[in-house]
Amino acid sequence: METKRIVIEDREHADDSQLKEAARILRSGGLVAFPTETVYGLGANALNEEAARKIYAAKGRPSDNPLIAHISDFSELDQLVREIPKAGKILMEAYWPGPLTLIFPKSSKVPYGTTGGLDTVAVRMPSDPTARKLIALSGVPVAAPSANTSGRPSPTTADHVWEDMNGKIDMIVDGGPVGIGVESTIVDVTEEIPVLLRPGAVTLEMLRELLGEVKIDPAILGPLKDGLRPKAPGMKYRHYAPKADLTLVELSDETRLQLHNLDSRLYKETVKAMKEAGCSKDLTPEEFCLAYHVKIMGEEALAQGKSTGIICTDETRNQYNHGLIRSMGLRSKEETLAHNLYGVLREFDDLNVDCIFSESFSEDSLGQAIMNRLSKAAGYKILKV
């Protein structure tokens, strides 16, 4: 199969004529990758079971991993869902269109091939103008998981999609880099108390502010138990992973406590070391200590002859002088970390490193999504120091 690529110069004002062929492909059961505000999606007609099978085949994705159906308007929801619970209505009103996916009871029109065999369906209305225009022109809800080989870091540029999907799909709509950089938040509203299944730009704090109580699915914190069927994408299988062995380095609770105790020996030694190193005043003792341990691990791997990658932030970048060092952005601006996460992981793939050591991040707000993706990318290989 020859994959066609079209370029949209202005995603805010994409012309119908530019997207007409892509819409026709989707309507007729083909595969089209396109940009959203989160990551690039691999689209197919969500009501066509054969088209859904093509998505699974192109990605090499397990068939029990549900797909998300994307719509362009609230009126399109009726054909997908059997009912809309109260929590769903509240969240739709607040965050649609946007980076939020909701789990509803599915209608009889939605094939089990789209839902991974479940009686629920995941639905999202993206805010990206090109994505919504394409869905509207196609005239069908569009199932669209991330447009990458299953398990690899998600694509945030059309070049990432081309690398994984060229020759496997009909078309790529190239709209340039995406905005957010991590997949949508997923919330199950079919239960009495809504459940967060995957963190994203709509944070747990934002959800609880609107709904009150919101439960967190255990799959966010660790691997899904064997034999359980995933209710949403990204829950069961290893995801977002680079080719290299990735270790996520985290400070232990005891270390954090000592670094917050101004009288502790560790705090005093750390502050002294920071002064001797001439650290920026913006760098905290926690960040310095974390970077120190990541640096030591990287140097040990290099001494063993391994090509080594280091994932850090702009604040800690100057603490490293060995290995292939890549900053994800500013720790003080979590949106930069999310935006650059998958690009950094893919860059290390291109560099063919043997191992990667990454700093950990706060699990508040958007940091929860960043840590969720990194933990899964590392196969939950987290070293507490």
Side-chain angles (χ1 to χ4, degrees), residues 93-123:
E93 185 177 333
Y95 295 117
W96 276 13
L100 175 67
T101 295
L102 298 174
I103 307 290
F104 297 107
K106 86 174 189 69
S107 76
S108 58
K109 290 184 179 180
V110 182
Y112 284 109
T114 296
T115 67
L118 298 173
D119 289 316
T120 54
V121 60
V123 187

Side-chain angles (χ1 to χ4, degrees), residues 41-212:
L42 178 56
N45 184 347
L47 302 180
N48 182 329
E49 193 149 23
E50 183 56 37
R53 288 196 193 99
K54 290 180 183 178
I55 289 179
Y56 288 111
K59 284 177 61 70
R61 181 185 178 101
S63 60
D64 66 345
N65 202 2
L67 305 175
I68 296 173
H70 292 64
I71 59 176
S72 65
D73 187 82
F74 287 95
S75 62
E76 298 164 20
L77 191 59
D78 291 345
Q79 63 185 322
L80 295 172
V81 307
R82 195 168 68 247
E83 62 175 299
I84 304 174
K86 181 181 177 182
K89 292 176 182 176
I90 293 171
L91 292 174
M92 286 161 53
E93 185 177 333
Y95 295 117
W96 276 13
L100 175 67
T101 295
L102 298 174
I103 307 290
F104 297 107
K106 86 174 189 69
S107 76
S108 58
K109 290 184 179 180
V110 182
Y112 284 109
T114 296
T115 67
L118 298 173
D119 289 316
T120 54
V121 60
V123 187
R124 180 164 97 85
M125 186 193 299
S127 62
D128 184 274
T130 292
R132 288 178 68 192
K133 182 166 283 192
L134 176 59
I135 296 165
L137 287 171
S138 73
V140 295
V142 176
S146 54
N148 58 296
T149 301
S150 188
R152 287 206 70 202
S154 298
T156 54
T157 69
D159 286 341
H160 294 162
V161 181
W162 186 263
E163 182 183 341
D164 282 14
M165 292 291 146
N166 183 27
K168 299 178 183 178
I169 65 177
D170 299 286
M171 180 179 282
I172 298 171
V173 177
D174 181 350
V178 301
I180 295 172
V182 293
E183 298 82 358
S184 61
T185 303
I186 302 180
V187 180
D188 184 356
V189 294
T190 64
E191 299 189 18
E192 186 176 343
I193 299 173
V195 183
L196 177 64
L197 302 182
R198 182 175 74 187
V202 178
T203 66
L204 179 63
E205 292 87 350
M206 294 159 71
L207 295 170
R208 284 177 171 164
E209 187 177 333
L210 270 182
L211 302 177

Side-chain angles (χ1 to χ4, degrees), residues 297-309:
M297 291 174 198
E299 289 174 349
E300 288 175 352
L302 284 165
Q304 296 168 14
K306 296 177 181 178
S307 174
T308 303

Side-chain angles (χ1 to χ4, degrees), residues 17 20 50 61 73 125 165 181 205 231 261 310 336 355:
S17 61
K20 198 173 288 184
E50 183 56 37
R61 181 185 178 101
D73 187 82
M125 186 193 299
M165 292 291 146
E205 292 87 350
K231 297 181 74 173
N261 179 359
I310 300 292
T336 65
C355 57

